[in-house]
Amino acid sequence: MHLSGALLVLTFLVAPGWVLDAYGAAPADDPTADLPPVMILLGAVFGCVTFHVVVQIPAGLLGSWLGRRGGVLVSYAVAVAAAGALTLVFLWGVVGVADVAELTALWLDYMARAAVALAGYVGLTSALRPRPARPFPGVEG
């Protein structure tokens, strides 16, 4: 999970749209601004960590467990589907995003980041998964 968390943090090098909107809402030298710019950065970091713990870790574990016999693509598809459902529940139910347009934009943003990070996790776990032993050709048993 450390790999997927690191990949998720790296995807935040491209700032989410809500961060860019928040930075552009008030000039940095405006004393009446609601939040100082460092709080917007901390909000993005907190959002990344929360998403990793609440959505990405369960989705990666579920994808690895349910897709263990189906191969890498099945594991990845299950992980992304689980992440999609968990992200929707998290944004709508926990965060309370009610506007459909805003919910869709946030969901797409988080899912694009999750897809990249989960690809790294599923790739690593499938490479480390033990393979069944195969007998030598021509040997019965």
Side-chain angles (χ1 to χ4, degrees), residues 68-132:
R68 66 187 176 275
R69 298 193 202 286
V72 178
L73 292 178
V74 173
S75 292
Y76 181 68
V78 170
V80 170
L86 289 171
T87 302
L88 186 62
V89 168
F90 179 70
L91 289 174
W92 182 63
V94 177
V95 177
V97 179
D99 183 39
V100 175
E102 183 182 3
L103 178 68
T104 304
L106 284 171
W107 185 83
L108 288 171
D109 181 63
Y110 276 109
M111 284 309 301
R113 296 169 195 282
V116 171
L118 286 172
Y121 173 74
V122 169
L124 180 66
T125 58
S126 67
L128 297 176
R129 187 177 301 146
R131 306 282 184 232

Side-chain angles (χ1 to χ4, degrees), residues 42-72:
L42 289 176
V45 170
F46 181 72
C48 177
V49 169
T50 303
F51 181 78
H52 180 63
V53 170
V54 173
V55 173
Q56 192 177 11
I57 289 174
L61 292 174
L62 189 64
S64 295
W65 181 60
L66 291 177
R68 66 187 176 275
R69 298 193 202 286
V72 178

Side-chain angles (χ1 to χ4, degrees), residues 1-11 52 56 117:
M1 281 299 140
H2 293 302
L3 173 69
S4 67
L7 289 173
L8 183 66
V9 167
L10 288 176
T11 64
H52 180 63
Q56 192 177 11

Side-chain angles (χ1 to χ4, degrees), residues 18-28 36-38 40-41:
W18 65 268
V19 170
L20 297 175
D21 291 342
Y23 270 121
V38 71
I40 297 169
L41 178 63

